[in-house]
Amino acid sequence: MALPRVRDEESAASGGEDSPTSKKARSDARFPLSRCELAAAIAVFVTFVVGILSIFSTMPREEYEKILRLPRSLSDLRLLKDNIAVYATDYQVNFMLGYCSVYIFMQTFMIPGTIFMSLLAGALFGVGKGLVLVVFTATAGASSCYFLSKIIGRPLASWLWPEKLRFFQAEIAKRKEKLLNYMLFLRITPTLPNTFINLASPIVDIPFHIFFFATLIGLIPASFITVRAGLALGDLKSLGDLYDFKTLVVLFLIGSVAIFPSILKRKRTYE
């Protein structure tokens, strides 16, 4: 998911191992986190893992082989859904705690695969309950990532997405007065990856209350599409079918409604 790191062209062209530019390139290649930042990230990670293991330790041991697996493909997801359907009904509280913990953990540490979790929610609970569950866990996970980014985010984001981070910071600076509208637009549309938004928002000084409400509301349209697709999981051929051209147009139209007030205000200012 990470973009390739931009290299200094002059440094690459010089070829001198002891030149100042080559020393700078080697310095930029270092791991971006300090020891304290890395220790904080590991502490949060371990806390999550211990909490998840504590939840799963209360589950029936005979169900372990069926439920302790993370789907990485649609075929894996269909198999998991068939195995876990009865368990999710008989042990609903345990399942909910386990589901929420895993989803929030994945969101916090930017682990790919939450789309499968959203599809699973739709397949097991239907659109209503599934949508509430997905929006809650996605918002909680994004918020957790936001606060973790306050500790370790700046060097990590600068290392992974230097140009995208500068672009995002410039766009936020232009829209301070209508920041909620802009954040809603970003959440509703696939303009920027949600992973990047979660990590970069505290770095570019987006207040948490704006981040929270934009996430809570802005994730509803895409989550609805994914959860509803979970109802027809057997007919879904690929993840690309979720967001075809028609769906993307609808999302951008909804996002345009969110950002329209800021566009109108800018037009009046110019007039």
Side-chain angles (χ1 to χ4, degrees):
M1 293 179 61
L3 296 174
R5 191 172 63 256
V6 178
R7 295 182 180 178
D8 189 333
E9 293 180 359
E10 294 181 0
S11 174
S14 66
E17 293 184 356
D18 297 327
S19 65
T21 52
S22 64
K23 290 179 180 179
K24 183 177 183 295
R26 285 199 299 270
S27 176
D28 291 343
R30 293 176 183 172
F31 189 68
L33 303 182
S34 67
R35 290 182 179 179
C36 291
E37 291 168 337
L38 182 60
I42 291 174
V44 175
F45 182 87
V46 170
T47 301
F48 266 103
V49 170
V50 170
I52 291 173
L53 291 177
S54 298
I55 292 170
F56 280 110
S57 66
T58 64
M59 295 180 175
R61 295 187 178 275
E62 62 272 14
E63 302 285 346
Y64 278 7
E65 293 184 3
K66 295 181 180 181
I67 63 178
L68 292 183
R69 58 180 65 187
L70 197 63
R72 289 299 179 185
S73 66
L74 287 175
S75 58
D76 289 346
L77 183 61
R78 293 187 189 102
L79 180 61
L80 178 61
K81 185 256 181 182
D82 292 338
N83 289 337
I84 208 172
V86 175
Y87 173 83
T89 302
D90 294 342
Y91 301 92
Q92 196 166 36
V93 174
N94 282 3
F95 175 79
M96 287 291 190
L97 288 172
Y99 178 95
C100 292
S101 299
V102 171
Y103 201 120
I104 294 171
F105 176 81
M106 294 174 70
Q107 283 278 82
T108 302
F109 294 97
M110 301 177 291
I111 300 172
T114 52
I115 189 169
F116 295 115
M117 301 289 286
S118 300
L119 287 167
L120 181 63
L124 293 175
F125 300 110
V127 175
K129 290 182 180 179
L131 181 61
V132 172
L133 184 61
V134 169
V135 171
F136 166 75
T137 50
T139 303
S143 300
S144 181
C145 184
Y146 178 99
F147 289 116
L148 183 63
S149 181
K150 279 183 169 289
I151 304 173
I152 66 171
R154 186 175 297 277
L156 196 59
S158 300
W159 185 51
L160 296 174
W161 306 290
E163 291 186 356
K164 189 177 290 187
L165 184 61
R166 285 192 290 270
F167 167 79
F168 189 42
Q169 195 159 22
E171 291 299 308
I172 294 299
K174 295 177 187 176
R175 296 171 168 85
K176 286 292 185 182
E177 294 184 2
K178 293 290 183 179
L179 192 53
L180 179 59
N181 299 82
Y182 181 61
M183 288 297 294
L184 279 170
F185 174 80
L186 292 181
R187 284 303 197 187
I188 294 170
T189 66
T191 305
L192 288 173
N194 281 324
T195 300
F196 171 78
I197 296 173
N198 296 343
L199 188 67
S201 290
I203 300 171
V204 298
D205 297 325
I206 295 174
F208 177 69
H209 69 279
I210 290 178
F211 174 88
F212 177 82
F213 285 112
T215 302
L216 182 66
I217 299 169
L219 290 181
I220 292 175
S223 298
F224 174 79
I225 292 170
T226 308
V227 170
R228 188 181 63 174
L231 294 175
L233 193 57
D235 299 329
L236 196 62
K237 296 180 180 178
S238 70
L239 293 179
D241 295 341
L242 289 173
Y243 298 100
D244 54 13
F245 179 75
K246 182 180 178 181
T247 302
L248 292 176
V249 169
V250 171
L251 289 177
F252 271 100
L253 285 175
I254 298 173
S256 299
V257 173
I259 205 172
F260 181 74
S262 60
I263 296 175
L264 186 62
K265 183 175 181 179
R266 183 178 296 181
K267 183 180 178 181
R268 289 175 178 174
T269 302
Y270 288 147
E271 291 176 352

